[in-house]
Structures are given as structure tokens and as C-alpha cells.
PDB file of all heavy atoms in Angstrom:
ATOM      1  N   PHE A 520     -12.971 -14.569  -6.588  1.00  0.00           N
ATOM      2  CA  PHE A 520     -13.489 -13.487  -5.751  1.00  0.00           C
ATOM      3  C   PHE A 520     -14.601 -12.777  -6.500  1.00  0.00           C
ATOM      4  O   PHE A 520     -14.377 -12.228  -7.577  1.00  0.00           O
ATOM      5  CB  PHE A 520     -12.388 -12.487  -5.392  1.00  0.00           C
ATOM      6  CG  PHE A 520     -12.885 -11.379  -4.504  1.00  0.00           C
ATOM      7  CD1 PHE A 520     -13.010 -11.585  -3.141  1.00  0.00           C
ATOM      8  CD2 PHE A 520     -13.242 -10.151  -5.027  1.00  0.00           C
ATOM      9  CE1 PHE A 520     -13.484 -10.576  -2.320  1.00  0.00           C
ATOM     10  CE2 PHE A 520     -13.704  -9.138  -4.207  1.00  0.00           C
ATOM     11  CZ  PHE A 520     -13.831  -9.349  -2.850  1.00  0.00           C
ATOM     12  N   ASN A 521     -15.777 -12.793  -5.926  1.00  0.00           N
ATOM     13  CA  ASN A 521     -16.925 -12.159  -6.552  1.00  0.00           C
ATOM     14  C   ASN A 521     -17.422 -11.070  -5.622  1.00  0.00           C
ATOM     15  O   ASN A 521     -18.185 -11.329  -4.701  1.00  0.00           O
ATOM     16  CB  ASN A 521     -18.016 -13.196  -6.830  1.00  0.00           C
ATOM     17  CG  ASN A 521     -19.146 -12.617  -7.633  1.00  0.00           C
ATOM     18  OD1 ASN A 521     -19.079 -11.494  -8.098  1.00  0.00           O
ATOM     19  ND2 ASN A 521     -20.195 -13.389  -7.787  1.00  0.00           N
ATOM     20  N   GLY A 522     -16.955  -9.873  -5.828  1.00  0.00           N
ATOM     21  CA  GLY A 522     -17.370  -8.786  -4.959  1.00  0.00           C
ATOM     22  C   GLY A 522     -16.660  -7.504  -5.316  1.00  0.00           C
ATOM     23  O   GLY A 522     -15.928  -7.416  -6.297  1.00  0.00           O
ATOM     24  N   LEU A 523     -16.867  -6.517  -4.480  1.00  0.00           N
ATOM     25  CA  LEU A 523     -16.291  -5.191  -4.648  1.00  0.00           C
ATOM     26  C   LEU A 523     -15.525  -4.852  -3.382  1.00  0.00           C
ATOM     27  O   LEU A 523     -16.020  -5.092  -2.281  1.00  0.00           O
ATOM     28  CB  LEU A 523     -17.411  -4.162  -4.874  1.00  0.00           C
ATOM     29  CG  LEU A 523     -16.988  -2.713  -4.917  1.00  0.00           C
ATOM     30  CD1 LEU A 523     -16.549  -2.352  -6.333  1.00  0.00           C
ATOM     31  CD2 LEU A 523     -18.144  -1.830  -4.498  1.00  0.00           C
ATOM     32  N   ILE A 524     -14.335  -4.330  -3.544  1.00  0.00           N
ATOM     33  CA  ILE A 524     -13.527  -3.912  -2.403  1.00  0.00           C
ATOM     34  C   ILE A 524     -13.469  -2.397  -2.422  1.00  0.00           C
ATOM     35  O   ILE A 524     -12.987  -1.798  -3.385  1.00  0.00           O
ATOM     36  CB  ILE A 524     -12.103  -4.475  -2.477  1.00  0.00           C
ATOM     37  CG1 ILE A 524     -12.145  -5.989  -2.533  1.00  0.00           C
ATOM     38  CG2 ILE A 524     -11.264  -3.974  -1.304  1.00  0.00           C
ATOM     39  CD1 ILE A 524     -10.825  -6.616  -2.930  1.00  0.00           C
ATOM     40  N   LYS A 525     -13.993  -1.781  -1.378  1.00  0.00           N
ATOM     41  CA  LYS A 525     -13.908  -0.326  -1.253  1.00  0.00           C
ATOM     42  C   LYS A 525     -12.647  -0.008  -0.463  1.00  0.00           C
ATOM     43  O   LYS A 525     -12.460  -0.500   0.642  1.00  0.00           O
ATOM     44  CB  LYS A 525     -15.140   0.218  -0.531  1.00  0.00           C
ATOM     45  CG  LYS A 525     -15.160   1.715  -0.456  1.00  0.00           C
ATOM     46  CD  LYS A 525     -16.413   2.214   0.220  1.00  0.00           C
ATOM     47  CE  LYS A 525     -16.308   3.707   0.410  1.00  0.00           C
ATOM     48  NZ  LYS A 525     -17.308   4.210   1.336  1.00  0.00           N
ATOM     49  N   ASN A 526     -11.765   0.786  -1.070  1.00  0.00           N
ATOM     50  CA  ASN A 526     -10.471   1.091  -0.465  1.00  0.00           C
ATOM     51  C   ASN A 526     -10.428   2.499   0.101  1.00  0.00           C
ATOM     52  O   ASN A 526     -10.899   3.439  -0.540  1.00  0.00           O
ATOM     53  CB  ASN A 526      -9.354   0.960  -1.511  1.00  0.00           C
ATOM     54  CG  ASN A 526      -9.103  -0.469  -1.892  1.00  0.00           C
ATOM     55  OD1 ASN A 526      -9.148  -1.352  -1.050  1.00  0.00           O
ATOM     56  ND2 ASN A 526      -8.839  -0.711  -3.167  1.00  0.00           N
ATOM     57  N   ASN A 527      -9.805   2.628   1.266  1.00  0.00           N
ATOM     58  CA  ASN A 527      -9.480   3.966   1.750  1.00  0.00           C
ATOM     59  C   ASN A 527      -8.252   4.437   0.980  1.00  0.00           C
ATOM     60  O   ASN A 527      -7.662   3.665   0.207  1.00  0.00           O
ATOM     61  CB  ASN A 527      -9.277   3.957   3.274  1.00  0.00           C
ATOM     62  CG  ASN A 527      -8.078   3.141   3.724  1.00  0.00           C
ATOM     63  OD1 ASN A 527      -7.114   2.936   2.988  1.00  0.00           O
ATOM     64  ND2 ASN A 527      -8.134   2.658   4.946  1.00  0.00           N
ATOM     65  N   PRO A 528      -7.836   5.699   1.121  1.00  0.00           N
ATOM     66  CA  PRO A 528      -6.700   6.187   0.324  1.00  0.00           C
ATOM     67  C   PRO A 528      -5.410   5.387   0.503  1.00  0.00           C
ATOM     68  O   PRO A 528      -4.673   5.179  -0.458  1.00  0.00           O
ATOM     69  CB  PRO A 528      -6.528   7.626   0.816  1.00  0.00           C
ATOM     70  CG  PRO A 528      -7.898   8.031   1.268  1.00  0.00           C
ATOM     71  CD  PRO A 528      -8.480   6.785   1.876  1.00  0.00           C
ATOM     72  N   THR A 529      -5.160   4.909   1.700  1.00  0.00           N
ATOM     73  CA  THR A 529      -3.948   4.128   1.940  1.00  0.00           C
ATOM     74  C   THR A 529      -4.007   2.791   1.209  1.00  0.00           C
ATOM     75  O   THR A 529      -3.054   2.398   0.535  1.00  0.00           O
ATOM     76  CB  THR A 529      -3.751   3.898   3.455  1.00  0.00           C
ATOM     77  OG1 THR A 529      -3.751   5.157   4.121  1.00  0.00           O
ATOM     78  CG2 THR A 529      -2.454   3.183   3.735  1.00  0.00           C
ATOM     79  N   ALA A 530      -5.116   2.098   1.319  1.00  0.00           N
ATOM     80  CA  ALA A 530      -5.262   0.813   0.622  1.00  0.00           C
ATOM     81  C   ALA A 530      -5.234   1.020  -0.885  1.00  0.00           C
ATOM     82  O   ALA A 530      -4.645   0.214  -1.613  1.00  0.00           O
ATOM     83  CB  ALA A 530      -6.550   0.123   1.049  1.00  0.00           C
ATOM     84  N   ALA A 531      -5.838   2.104  -1.366  1.00  0.00           N
ATOM     85  CA  ALA A 531      -5.822   2.397  -2.802  1.00  0.00           C
ATOM     86  C   ALA A 531      -4.384   2.583  -3.290  1.00  0.00           C
ATOM     87  O   ALA A 531      -4.019   2.115  -4.373  1.00  0.00           O
ATOM     88  CB  ALA A 531      -6.661   3.633  -3.105  1.00  0.00           C
ATOM     89  N   PHE A 532      -3.560   3.246  -2.486  1.00  0.00           N
ATOM     90  CA  PHE A 532      -2.152   3.442  -2.824  1.00  0.00           C
ATOM     91  C   PHE A 532      -1.436   2.097  -2.921  1.00  0.00           C
ATOM     92  O   PHE A 532      -0.686   1.837  -3.873  1.00  0.00           O
ATOM     93  CB  PHE A 532      -1.490   4.346  -1.782  1.00  0.00           C
ATOM     94  CG  PHE A 532      -0.030   4.601  -2.016  1.00  0.00           C
ATOM     95  CD1 PHE A 532       0.398   5.363  -3.091  1.00  0.00           C
ATOM     96  CD2 PHE A 532       0.919   4.079  -1.155  1.00  0.00           C
ATOM     97  CE1 PHE A 532       1.758   5.597  -3.310  1.00  0.00           C
ATOM     98  CE2 PHE A 532       2.273   4.310  -1.357  1.00  0.00           C
ATOM     99  CZ  PHE A 532       2.691   5.065  -2.443  1.00  0.00           C
ATOM    100  N   ILE A 533      -1.705   1.212  -1.976  1.00  0.00           N
ATOM    101  CA  ILE A 533      -1.074  -0.115  -1.986  1.00  0.00           C
ATOM    102  C   ILE A 533      -1.552  -0.920  -3.188  1.00  0.00           C
ATOM    103  O   ILE A 533      -0.758  -1.592  -3.848  1.00  0.00           O
ATOM    104  CB  ILE A 533      -1.326  -0.852  -0.659  1.00  0.00           C
ATOM    105  CG1 ILE A 533      -0.598  -0.122   0.472  1.00  0.00           C
ATOM    106  CG2 ILE A 533      -0.873  -2.313  -0.746  1.00  0.00           C
ATOM    107  CD1 ILE A 533      -0.926  -0.628   1.867  1.00  0.00           C
ATOM    108  N   PHE A 534      -2.827  -0.849  -3.505  1.00  0.00           N
ATOM    109  CA  PHE A 534      -3.342  -1.551  -4.682  1.00  0.00           C
ATOM    110  C   PHE A 534      -2.636  -1.070  -5.944  1.00  0.00           C
ATOM    111  O   PHE A 534      -2.296  -1.866  -6.817  1.00  0.00           O
ATOM    112  CB  PHE A 534      -4.860  -1.360  -4.817  1.00  0.00           C
ATOM    113  CG  PHE A 534      -5.669  -2.446  -4.179  1.00  0.00           C
ATOM    114  CD1 PHE A 534      -5.813  -2.503  -2.796  1.00  0.00           C
ATOM    115  CD2 PHE A 534      -6.296  -3.407  -4.941  1.00  0.00           C
ATOM    116  CE1 PHE A 534      -6.568  -3.490  -2.202  1.00  0.00           C
ATOM    117  CE2 PHE A 534      -7.057  -4.413  -4.358  1.00  0.00           C
ATOM    118  CZ  PHE A 534      -7.190  -4.450  -2.980  1.00  0.00           C
ATOM    119  N   GLU A 535      -2.420   0.235  -6.043  1.00  0.00           N
ATOM    120  CA  GLU A 535      -1.705   0.778  -7.214  1.00  0.00           C
ATOM    121  C   GLU A 535      -0.285   0.235  -7.270  1.00  0.00           C
ATOM    122  O   GLU A 535       0.209  -0.121  -8.341  1.00  0.00           O
ATOM    123  CB  GLU A 535      -1.708   2.303  -7.202  1.00  0.00           C
ATOM    124  CG  GLU A 535      -3.058   2.911  -7.485  1.00  0.00           C
ATOM    125  CD  GLU A 535      -3.655   2.455  -8.816  1.00  0.00           C
ATOM    126  OE1 GLU A 535      -2.961   2.514  -9.841  1.00  0.00           O
ATOM    127  OE2 GLU A 535      -4.827   2.029  -8.816  1.00  0.00           O
ATOM    128  N   LEU A 536       0.386   0.165  -6.132  1.00  0.00           N
ATOM    129  CA  LEU A 536       1.732  -0.404  -6.092  1.00  0.00           C
ATOM    130  C   LEU A 536       1.726  -1.851  -6.546  1.00  0.00           C
ATOM    131  O   LEU A 536       2.624  -2.296  -7.259  1.00  0.00           O
ATOM    132  CB  LEU A 536       2.308  -0.321  -4.666  1.00  0.00           C
ATOM    133  CG  LEU A 536       2.643   1.055  -4.125  1.00  0.00           C
ATOM    134  CD1 LEU A 536       3.011   0.963  -2.643  1.00  0.00           C
ATOM    135  CD2 LEU A 536       3.763   1.708  -4.917  1.00  0.00           C
ATOM    136  N   LEU A 537       0.698  -2.587  -6.149  1.00  0.00           N
ATOM    137  CA  LEU A 537       0.631  -4.011  -6.446  1.00  0.00           C
ATOM    138  C   LEU A 537       0.277  -4.324  -7.897  1.00  0.00           C
ATOM    139  O   LEU A 537       0.224  -5.484  -8.287  1.00  0.00           O
ATOM    140  CB  LEU A 537      -0.366  -4.708  -5.513  1.00  0.00           C
ATOM    141  CG  LEU A 537       0.127  -4.900  -4.084  1.00  0.00           C
ATOM    142  CD1 LEU A 537      -1.016  -5.327  -3.174  1.00  0.00           C
ATOM    143  CD2 LEU A 537       1.271  -5.913  -4.038  1.00  0.00           C
ATOM    144  N   LYS A 538       0.091  -3.310  -8.702  1.00  0.00           N
ATOM    145  CA  LYS A 538      -0.114  -3.550 -10.128  1.00  0.00           C
ATOM    146  C   LYS A 538       1.187  -4.008 -10.783  1.00  0.00           C
ATOM    147  O   LYS A 538       1.175  -4.603 -11.848  1.00  0.00           O
ATOM    148  CB  LYS A 538      -0.650  -2.298 -10.816  1.00  0.00           C
ATOM    149  CG  LYS A 538      -2.096  -2.029 -10.465  1.00  0.00           C
ATOM    150  CD  LYS A 538      -2.613  -0.821 -11.191  1.00  0.00           C
ATOM    151  CE  LYS A 538      -4.091  -0.607 -10.888  1.00  0.00           C
ATOM    152  NZ  LYS A 538      -4.623   0.543 -11.629  1.00  0.00           N
ATOM    153  N   LYS A 539       2.307  -3.704 -10.112  1.00  0.00           N
ATOM    154  CA  LYS A 539       3.620  -4.178 -10.543  1.00  0.00           C
ATOM    155  C   LYS A 539       4.193  -5.028  -9.426  1.00  0.00           C
ATOM    156  O   LYS A 539       3.802  -4.900  -8.264  1.00  0.00           O
ATOM    157  CB  LYS A 539       4.552  -2.997 -10.824  1.00  0.00           C
ATOM    158  CG  LYS A 539       4.111  -2.150 -11.984  1.00  0.00           C
ATOM    159  CD  LYS A 539       5.107  -1.066 -12.271  1.00  0.00           C
ATOM    160  CE  LYS A 539       4.636  -0.260 -13.476  1.00  0.00           C
ATOM    161  NZ  LYS A 539       5.558   0.835 -13.765  1.00  0.00           N
ATOM    162  N   GLU A 540       5.131  -5.872  -9.760  1.00  0.00           N
ATOM    163  CA  GLU A 540       5.760  -6.765  -8.792  1.00  0.00           C
ATOM    164  C   GLU A 540       6.317  -5.960  -7.614  1.00  0.00           C
ATOM    165  O   GLU A 540       7.028  -4.966  -7.810  1.00  0.00           O
ATOM    166  CB  GLU A 540       6.874  -7.563  -9.476  1.00  0.00           C
ATOM    167  CG  GLU A 540       7.461  -8.645  -8.631  1.00  0.00           C
ATOM    168  CD  GLU A 540       6.487  -9.781  -8.348  1.00  0.00           C
ATOM    169  OE1 GLU A 540       5.641 -10.095  -9.206  1.00  0.00           O
ATOM    170  OE2 GLU A 540       6.584 -10.373  -7.254  1.00  0.00           O
ATOM    171  N   GLN A 541       5.999  -6.391  -6.412  1.00  0.00           N
ATOM    172  CA  GLN A 541       6.432  -5.725  -5.187  1.00  0.00           C
ATOM    173  C   GLN A 541       6.858  -6.757  -4.158  1.00  0.00           C
ATOM    174  O   GLN A 541       6.461  -7.924  -4.229  1.00  0.00           O
ATOM    175  CB  GLN A 541       5.286  -4.894  -4.585  1.00  0.00           C
ATOM    176  CG  GLN A 541       4.735  -3.802  -5.443  1.00  0.00           C
ATOM    177  CD  GLN A 541       5.686  -2.642  -5.616  1.00  0.00           C
ATOM    178  OE1 GLN A 541       6.493  -2.331  -4.732  1.00  0.00           O
ATOM    179  NE2 GLN A 541       5.616  -1.994  -6.767  1.00  0.00           N
ATOM    180  N   THR A 542       7.598  -6.285  -3.176  1.00  0.00           N
ATOM    181  CA  THR A 542       7.868  -7.073  -1.972  1.00  0.00           C
ATOM    182  C   THR A 542       7.218  -6.327  -0.814  1.00  0.00           C
ATOM    183  O   THR A 542       6.852  -5.152  -0.947  1.00  0.00           O
ATOM    184  CB  THR A 542       9.374  -7.203  -1.694  1.00  0.00           C
ATOM    185  OG1 THR A 542       9.906  -5.895  -1.432  1.00  0.00           O
ATOM    186  CG2 THR A 542      10.109  -7.852  -2.859  1.00  0.00           C
ATOM    187  N   GLU A 543       7.089  -6.997   0.300  1.00  0.00           N
ATOM    188  CA  GLU A 543       6.565  -6.299   1.479  1.00  0.00           C
ATOM    189  C   GLU A 543       7.437  -5.086   1.792  1.00  0.00           C
ATOM    190  O   GLU A 543       6.926  -4.009   2.089  1.00  0.00           O
ATOM    191  CB  GLU A 543       6.510  -7.250   2.672  1.00  0.00           C
ATOM    192  CG  GLU A 543       5.936  -6.605   3.918  1.00  0.00           C
ATOM    193  CD  GLU A 543       5.853  -7.557   5.092  1.00  0.00           C
ATOM    194  OE1 GLU A 543       5.408  -8.700   4.904  1.00  0.00           O
ATOM    195  OE2 GLU A 543       6.240  -7.135   6.198  1.00  0.00           O
ATOM    196  N   ASP A 544       8.758  -5.261   1.712  1.00  0.00           N
ATOM    197  CA  ASP A 544       9.671  -4.157   2.008  1.00  0.00           C
ATOM    198  C   ASP A 544       9.499  -2.989   1.042  1.00  0.00           C
ATOM    199  O   ASP A 544       9.556  -1.831   1.461  1.00  0.00           O
ATOM    200  CB  ASP A 544      11.127  -4.631   1.981  1.00  0.00           C
ATOM    201  CG  ASP A 544      11.488  -5.467   3.191  1.00  0.00           C
ATOM    202  OD1 ASP A 544      10.796  -5.380   4.237  1.00  0.00           O
ATOM    203  OD2 ASP A 544      12.471  -6.229   3.104  1.00  0.00           O
ATOM    204  N   SER A 545       9.298  -3.270  -0.243  1.00  0.00           N
ATOM    205  CA  SER A 545       9.144  -2.168  -1.197  1.00  0.00           C
ATOM    206  C   SER A 545       7.859  -1.389  -0.935  1.00  0.00           C
ATOM    207  O   SER A 545       7.826  -0.163  -1.073  1.00  0.00           O
ATOM    208  CB  SER A 545       9.198  -2.674  -2.645  1.00  0.00           C
ATOM    209  OG  SER A 545       8.068  -3.467  -2.969  1.00  0.00           O
ATOM    210  N   ILE A 546       6.809  -2.092  -0.511  1.00  0.00           N
ATOM    211  CA  ILE A 546       5.558  -1.409  -0.174  1.00  0.00           C
ATOM    212  C   ILE A 546       5.741  -0.567   1.091  1.00  0.00           C
ATOM    213  O   ILE A 546       5.322   0.591   1.144  1.00  0.00           O
ATOM    214  CB  ILE A 546       4.410  -2.422  -0.005  1.00  0.00           C
ATOM    215  CG1 ILE A 546       4.135  -3.119  -1.340  1.00  0.00           C
ATOM    216  CG2 ILE A 546       3.154  -1.735   0.522  1.00  0.00           C
ATOM    217  CD1 ILE A 546       3.213  -4.320  -1.239  1.00  0.00           C
ATOM    218  N   VAL A 547       6.375  -1.146   2.096  1.00  0.00           N
ATOM    219  CA  VAL A 547       6.639  -0.410   3.341  1.00  0.00           C
ATOM    220  C   VAL A 547       7.454   0.845   3.041  1.00  0.00           C
ATOM    221  O   VAL A 547       7.131   1.939   3.520  1.00  0.00           O
ATOM    222  CB  VAL A 547       7.348  -1.306   4.379  1.00  0.00           C
ATOM    223  CG1 VAL A 547       7.897  -0.492   5.539  1.00  0.00           C
ATOM    224  CG2 VAL A 547       6.400  -2.389   4.879  1.00  0.00           C
ATOM    225  N   ASN A 548       8.499   0.718   2.239  1.00  0.00           N
ATOM    226  CA  ASN A 548       9.330   1.880   1.916  1.00  0.00           C
ATOM    227  C   ASN A 548       8.557   2.947   1.160  1.00  0.00           C
ATOM    228  O   ASN A 548       8.719   4.143   1.426  1.00  0.00           O
ATOM    229  CB  ASN A 548      10.567   1.451   1.130  1.00  0.00           C
ATOM    230  CG  ASN A 548      11.551   0.687   1.981  1.00  0.00           C
ATOM    231  OD1 ASN A 548      11.648   0.905   3.188  1.00  0.00           O
ATOM    232  ND2 ASN A 548      12.281  -0.229   1.377  1.00  0.00           N
ATOM    233  N   ALA A 549       7.697   2.539   0.238  1.00  0.00           N
ATOM    234  CA  ALA A 549       6.866   3.510  -0.491  1.00  0.00           C
ATOM    235  C   ALA A 549       5.911   4.219   0.463  1.00  0.00           C
ATOM    236  O   ALA A 549       5.680   5.430   0.340  1.00  0.00           O
ATOM    237  CB  ALA A 549       6.097   2.809  -1.601  1.00  0.00           C
ATOM    238  N   MET A 550       5.372   3.488   1.411  1.00  0.00           N
ATOM    239  CA  MET A 550       4.464   4.087   2.397  1.00  0.00           C
ATOM    240  C   MET A 550       5.211   5.067   3.294  1.00  0.00           C
ATOM    241  O   MET A 550       4.696   6.142   3.601  1.00  0.00           O
ATOM    242  CB  MET A 550       3.822   2.989   3.248  1.00  0.00           C
ATOM    243  CG  MET A 550       2.944   2.031   2.486  1.00  0.00           C
ATOM    244  SD  MET A 550       1.408   2.760   1.971  1.00  0.00           S
ATOM    245  CE  MET A 550       0.603   2.908   3.547  1.00  0.00           C
ATOM    246  N   LEU A 551       6.420   4.699   3.700  1.00  0.00           N
ATOM    247  CA  LEU A 551       7.218   5.601   4.540  1.00  0.00           C
ATOM    248  C   LEU A 551       7.573   6.881   3.789  1.00  0.00           C
ATOM    249  O   LEU A 551       7.643   7.958   4.389  1.00  0.00           O
ATOM    250  CB  LEU A 551       8.485   4.893   5.031  1.00  0.00           C
ATOM    251  CG  LEU A 551       8.262   3.779   6.050  1.00  0.00           C
ATOM    252  CD1 LEU A 551       9.562   3.016   6.289  1.00  0.00           C
ATOM    253  CD2 LEU A 551       7.710   4.341   7.353  1.00  0.00           C
ATOM    254  N   ASP A 552       7.797   6.775   2.481  1.00  0.00           N
ATOM    255  CA  ASP A 552       8.085   7.959   1.668  1.00  0.00           C
ATOM    256  C   ASP A 552       6.857   8.851   1.520  1.00  0.00           C
ATOM    257  O   ASP A 552       6.966  10.070   1.454  1.00  0.00           O
ATOM    258  CB  ASP A 552       8.571   7.560   0.272  1.00  0.00           C
ATOM    259  CG  ASP A 552       9.976   6.981   0.280  1.00  0.00           C
ATOM    260  OD1 ASP A 552      10.702   7.164   1.281  1.00  0.00           O
ATOM    261  OD2 ASP A 552      10.346   6.336  -0.716  1.00  0.00           O
ATOM    262  N   LYS A 553       5.682   8.260   1.477  1.00  0.00           N
ATOM    263  CA  LYS A 553       4.449   9.012   1.220  1.00  0.00           C
ATOM    264  C   LYS A 553       3.817   9.577   2.493  1.00  0.00           C
ATOM    265  O   LYS A 553       3.283  10.675   2.487  1.00  0.00           O
ATOM    266  CB  LYS A 553       3.441   8.123   0.499  1.00  0.00           C
ATOM    267  CG  LYS A 553       2.169   8.850   0.100  1.00  0.00           C
ATOM    268  CD  LYS A 553       1.338   8.016  -0.833  1.00  0.00           C
ATOM    269  CE  LYS A 553       0.032   8.678  -1.200  1.00  0.00           C
ATOM    270  NZ  LYS A 553       0.164   9.776  -2.135  1.00  0.00           N
ATOM    271  N   TYR A 554       3.865   8.811   3.576  1.00  0.00           N
ATOM    272  CA  TYR A 554       3.172   9.200   4.803  1.00  0.00           C
ATOM    273  C   TYR A 554       4.157   9.392   5.949  1.00  0.00           C
ATOM    274  O   TYR A 554       5.183   8.739   6.014  1.00  0.00           O
ATOM    275  CB  TYR A 554       2.160   8.119   5.203  1.00  0.00           C
ATOM    276  CG  TYR A 554       1.097   7.864   4.162  1.00  0.00           C
ATOM    277  CD1 TYR A 554       1.171   6.747   3.326  1.00  0.00           C
ATOM    278  CD2 TYR A 554       0.027   8.732   4.005  1.00  0.00           C
ATOM    279  CE1 TYR A 554       0.194   6.500   2.368  1.00  0.00           C
ATOM    280  CE2 TYR A 554      -0.954   8.499   3.045  1.00  0.00           C
ATOM    281  CZ  TYR A 554      -0.856   7.381   2.228  1.00  0.00           C
ATOM    282  OH  TYR A 554      -1.814   7.143   1.282  1.00  0.00           O
ATOM    283  N   GLU A 555       3.799  10.249   6.871  1.00  0.00           N
ATOM    284  CA  GLU A 555       4.605  10.448   8.074  1.00  0.00           C
ATOM    285  C   GLU A 555       4.098   9.505   9.155  1.00  0.00           C
ATOM    286  O   GLU A 555       3.159   9.824   9.883  1.00  0.00           O
ATOM    287  CB  GLU A 555       4.511  11.896   8.547  1.00  0.00           C
ATOM    288  CG  GLU A 555       5.275  12.855   7.669  1.00  0.00           C
ATOM    289  CD  GLU A 555       5.366  14.233   8.261  1.00  0.00           C
ATOM    290  OE1 GLU A 555       5.371  14.373   9.501  1.00  0.00           O
ATOM    291  OE2 GLU A 555       5.445  15.171   7.468  1.00  0.00           O
ATOM    292  N   VAL A 556       4.723   8.354   9.211  1.00  0.00           N
ATOM    293  CA  VAL A 556       4.327   7.323  10.165  1.00  0.00           C
ATOM    294  C   VAL A 556       5.549   6.457  10.445  1.00  0.00           C
ATOM    295  O   VAL A 556       6.469   6.395   9.631  1.00  0.00           O
ATOM    296  CB  VAL A 556       3.140   6.501   9.611  1.00  0.00           C
ATOM    297  CG1 VAL A 556       3.537   5.725   8.386  1.00  0.00           C
ATOM    298  CG2 VAL A 556       2.519   5.622  10.664  1.00  0.00           C
ATOM    299  N   ASP A 557       5.544   5.813  11.598  1.00  0.00           N
ATOM    300  CA  ASP A 557       6.708   4.999  11.941  1.00  0.00           C
ATOM    301  C   ASP A 557       6.663   3.654  11.213  1.00  0.00           C
ATOM    302  O   ASP A 557       5.600   3.162  10.841  1.00  0.00           O
ATOM    303  CB  ASP A 557       6.788   4.783  13.458  1.00  0.00           C
ATOM    304  CG  ASP A 557       5.620   3.989  13.988  1.00  0.00           C
ATOM    305  OD1 ASP A 557       4.530   4.589  14.181  1.00  0.00           O
ATOM    306  OD2 ASP A 557       5.784   2.771  14.195  1.00  0.00           O
ATOM    307  N   GLU A 558       7.836   3.084  11.023  1.00  0.00           N
ATOM    308  CA  GLU A 558       7.958   1.846  10.250  1.00  0.00           C
ATOM    309  C   GLU A 558       7.200   0.690  10.880  1.00  0.00           C
ATOM    310  O   GLU A 558       6.584  -0.120  10.173  1.00  0.00           O
ATOM    311  CB  GLU A 558       9.422   1.465  10.063  1.00  0.00           C
ATOM    312  CG  GLU A 558       9.592   0.240   9.205  1.00  0.00           C
ATOM    313  CD  GLU A 558      11.033  -0.111   8.910  1.00  0.00           C
ATOM    314  OE1 GLU A 558      11.932   0.698   9.176  1.00  0.00           O
ATOM    315  OE2 GLU A 558      11.251  -1.234   8.400  1.00  0.00           O
ATOM    316  N   GLU A 559       7.210   0.577  12.194  1.00  0.00           N
ATOM    317  CA  GLU A 559       6.526  -0.528  12.855  1.00  0.00           C
ATOM    318  C   GLU A 559       5.021  -0.518  12.539  1.00  0.00           C
ATOM    319  O   GLU A 559       4.442  -1.554  12.226  1.00  0.00           O
ATOM    320  CB  GLU A 559       6.738  -0.446  14.371  1.00  0.00           C
ATOM    321  CG  GLU A 559       6.109  -1.591  15.130  1.00  0.00           C
ATOM    322  CD  GLU A 559       6.357  -1.492  16.629  1.00  0.00           C
ATOM    323  OE1 GLU A 559       7.301  -0.804  17.056  1.00  0.00           O
ATOM    324  OE2 GLU A 559       5.581  -2.125  17.365  1.00  0.00           O
ATOM    325  N   THR A 560       4.417   0.652  12.588  1.00  0.00           N
ATOM    326  CA  THR A 560       2.988   0.776  12.276  1.00  0.00           C
ATOM    327  C   THR A 560       2.719   0.444  10.822  1.00  0.00           C
ATOM    328  O   THR A 560       1.783  -0.306  10.501  1.00  0.00           O
ATOM    329  CB  THR A 560       2.493   2.197  12.600  1.00  0.00           C
ATOM    330  OG1 THR A 560       2.704   2.460  13.988  1.00  0.00           O
ATOM    331  CG2 THR A 560       1.027   2.368  12.264  1.00  0.00           C
TER     332      THR A 560
END
């Protein structure tokens, strides 16, 4: 990959999580803890 990825705050949060081993569920749970949004979204 040769480029730059500009992240919004939500994507930046996910990138930080992905610096350590994660599952989709662990990321979803971290997002639910941080933001007021429904799980399906």
C-alpha cells in the first residue's frame, strides 16, 4: 500500500484499537462503549 489514509475520528479510534489483536466483536463493543449508537449500525 503506497498512500495516505485520512481518518475521521471514528476510523482513527478503530485504527488505534487495531494496533493490538482484535476481533470484530471486540471493536464493536469498544465502539458501543465510546459512542451512543445502536449495535446494528
Side-chain angles (χ1 to χ4, degrees):
F520 181 81
N521 187 7
L523 174 86
I524 302 166
K525 184 178 174 194
N526 289 322
N527 65 25
T529 305
F532 179 69
I533 293 172
F534 267 75
E535 289 303 310
L536 291 172
L537 286 168
K538 287 182 177 182
K539 295 184 178 178
E540 188 67 33
Q541 300 289 329
T542 64
E543 182 179 315
D544 286 339
S545 68
I546 296 169
V547 168
N548 290 330
M550 297 288 290
L551 290 171
D552 288 343
K553 184 169 177 74
Y554 300 102
E555 287 189 30
V556 65
D557 64 280
E558 183 176 348
E559 182 179 339
T560 300

